[in-house]
Amino acid sequence: MLVYTHQLTIFNTDFNNQMRTILFLFGICAFCNSSYGQIINTNISTKKTVTTGGGFTQLKSGLEYKIIHGPGKGNSPKATDIVVMNINVHVGDSELFNSKKLNNNEPVSFPISKPTFHGDPVEGFMLMKAGDSAVFLVPVDSLKKTQSQLQPWMKPGQKIEYNVTMFSVKPAAVVKAEAEKKSKTQTIIDDEKLSEYFSKNNIKAIKTPSGLYYTISKIGTGSDPKSGQTVTVNYTGKTMDGKVFDSNVDSNYHHVTPFTFVLGKHQVITGWDKGIPMIKKGGKGTIYIPSPMAYGEQSPSAAIPANSVLIFDIEVTEIK
């Protein structure tokens, strides 16, 4: 999992990957699109249910649910649909996961995958509609039957509680089209900002076909870095107002060690994958990254507002 660390600003922080991995570590494979556990029929039916205490309804799989606010509007999600929701997971008074805390108090978006075990909370998500709020209870005993590795805090008979609010349900194709439209619009806006920035600061930057700009301050040797190669760099990142938000050459950011990653494998933000190849080994340069190739509408920290153009001073020290 790519986590938020001191090197926060260059990691690819796709939230779906974060959430899948976090929940997997809890032994709850709600978002694992794999054959782990027993795959159940995704045509969810509420016909075979029983009423339990506290107003909960128990599905045949063992999952208990209670709709707090509904009925919602539109269709319930099916596999591959993209949902936007808030999720809070806890056992008793112990909070295990809070999507709002991990996403700057904003709801999260991710694709629905097939339920992977009997009692999987995804089965409950697939009963909801936009506007619904619900509580789901996942028996620890259900997880045990999947032969998954349980966490030390998981006790027999215990139930893991999910509090969920569903904001929207859309087919993946619709979400992709909307995102592409927003990205194109934002790219035009960012290009105008960069043109003004270059003019004001007398910078002669080179524009790549992707829309990213770069300058070279020191020409390196050898060939350009290529996709699949392991690249080691020193870097300093800042916003267009000159505020530095991260660096591995400044001790104020507590990680003065070279950063190594595999180029072109989405281990870093898209702007790095597209910009680093412009700088040869031993070379230094600056890459100017439009927000769609950085974090777009997401704000990974208070230091990087949504739709921020990012500027990185880069030194490529090693290519393997």
Side-chain angles (χ1 to χ4, degrees):
M1 179 180 69
L2 297 178
V3 297
Y4 285 16
T5 69
H6 293 303
Q7 292 166 329
L8 158 73
T9 52
I10 55 179
F11 281 146
N12 180 339
T13 55
D14 177 79
F15 193 86
N16 180 47
N17 288 338
Q18 278 192 317
M19 197 152 61
R20 257 199 312 235
T21 307
I22 290 171
L23 294 180
F24 181 84
L25 291 174
F26 288 148
I28 307 168
C29 286
F31 302 100
C32 300
N33 189 13
S34 69
S35 59
Y36 182 88
Q38 182 181 1
I39 302 297
I40 66 173
N41 189 339
T42 57
N43 295 318
I44 306 300
S45 172
T46 59
K47 291 182 179 179
K48 296 181 179 180
T49 63
V50 295
T51 301
T52 60
F56 283 85
T57 298
Q58 186 179 62
L59 301 176
K60 185 180 179 180
S61 66
L63 178 70
E64 296 179 63
Y65 75 95
K66 178 169 62 175
I67 301 297
I68 304 299
H69 183 272
K73 297 181 180 179
N75 298 320
S76 297
K78 57 183 182 297
T80 74
D81 281 352
I82 308 297
V83 298
V84 176
M85 61 168 62
N86 286 332
I87 305 176
N88 182 283
V89 185
H90 61 92
V91 173
D93 295 330
S94 299
E95 183 178 87
L96 309 180
F97 178 80
N98 189 322
S99 63
K100 293 176 71 174
K101 289 182 179 179
L102 286 178
N103 200 38
N104 294 310
N105 209 38
E106 294 292 329
V108 296
S109 174
F110 60 93
I112 288 289
S113 57
K114 296 179 180 180
T116 56
F117 63 93
H118 286 287
D120 191 330
V122 169
E123 183 180 4
F125 299 166
M126 297 173 81
L127 297 176
M128 300 179 71
K129 296 181 179 180
D132 284 346
S133 295
V135 178
F136 302 100
L137 301 179
V138 179
V140 168
D141 294 342
S142 293
L143 297 173
K144 188 175 182 179
K145 290 178 182 178
T146 69
Q147 298 182 344
S148 59
Q149 182 177 357
L150 302 184
Q151 300 300 306
W153 51 262
M154 294 180 176
K155 308 299 180 183
Q158 202 172 44
K159 294 179 180 178
I160 304 167
E161 182 175 323
Y162 281 63
N163 290 273
V164 179
T165 300
M166 181 82 72
F167 293 100
S168 70
V169 178
K170 295 180 181 179
V174 172
V175 173
K176 181 179 179 181
E178 291 177 347
E180 289 176 348
K181 183 178 180 180
K182 286 183 178 180
S183 178
K184 288 180 180 179
T185 300
Q186 189 61 45
T187 297
I188 294 172
I189 294 172
D190 290 348
D191 198 69
E192 292 176 351
K193 289 179 180 179
L194 283 167
S195 294
E196 293 176 4
Y197 179 86
F198 297 144
S199 178
K200 179 180 178 180
N201 293 281
N202 195 29
I203 296 172
K204 294 182 179 180
I206 301 170
K207 185 177 183 179
T208 67
S210 69
L212 176 143
Y213 289 83
Y214 72 96
T215 59
I216 300 296
S217 57
K218 177 184 177 181
I219 299 175
T221 59
S223 59
D224 298 328
K226 294 179 176 59
S227 180
Q229 291 185 309
T230 299
V231 182
T232 301
V233 303
N234 290 322
Y235 69 91
T236 295
K238 56 188 176 183
T239 49
M240 294 187 75
D241 58 6
K243 294 180 180 178
V244 175
F245 50 76
D246 194 19
S247 176
N248 72 336
V249 294
D250 185 338
S251 59
N252 288 327
Y253 296 90
H254 311 295
H255 58 102
V256 285
T257 55
F259 177 69
T260 299
F261 68 101
V262 180
L263 188 66
K265 300 301 180 181
H266 309 293
Q267 294 180 352
V268 290
I269 56 177
T270 301
W272 269 48
D273 276 336
K274 293 184 179 296
I276 298 297
M278 304 299 116
I279 307 172
K280 301 178 187 296
K281 179 181 177 180
K284 295 181 180 181
T286 302
I287 54 178
Y288 302 85
I289 305 174
S291 59
M293 283 186 272
Y295 294 103
E297 294 180 317
Q298 294 184 348
S299 172
S301 75
I304 304 177
N307 294 318
S308 289
V309 173
L310 302 186
I311 301 172
F312 284 94
D313 295 321
I314 302 287
E315 177 186 15
V316 176
T317 61
E318 190 66 58
I319 302 173
K320 293 182 181 180

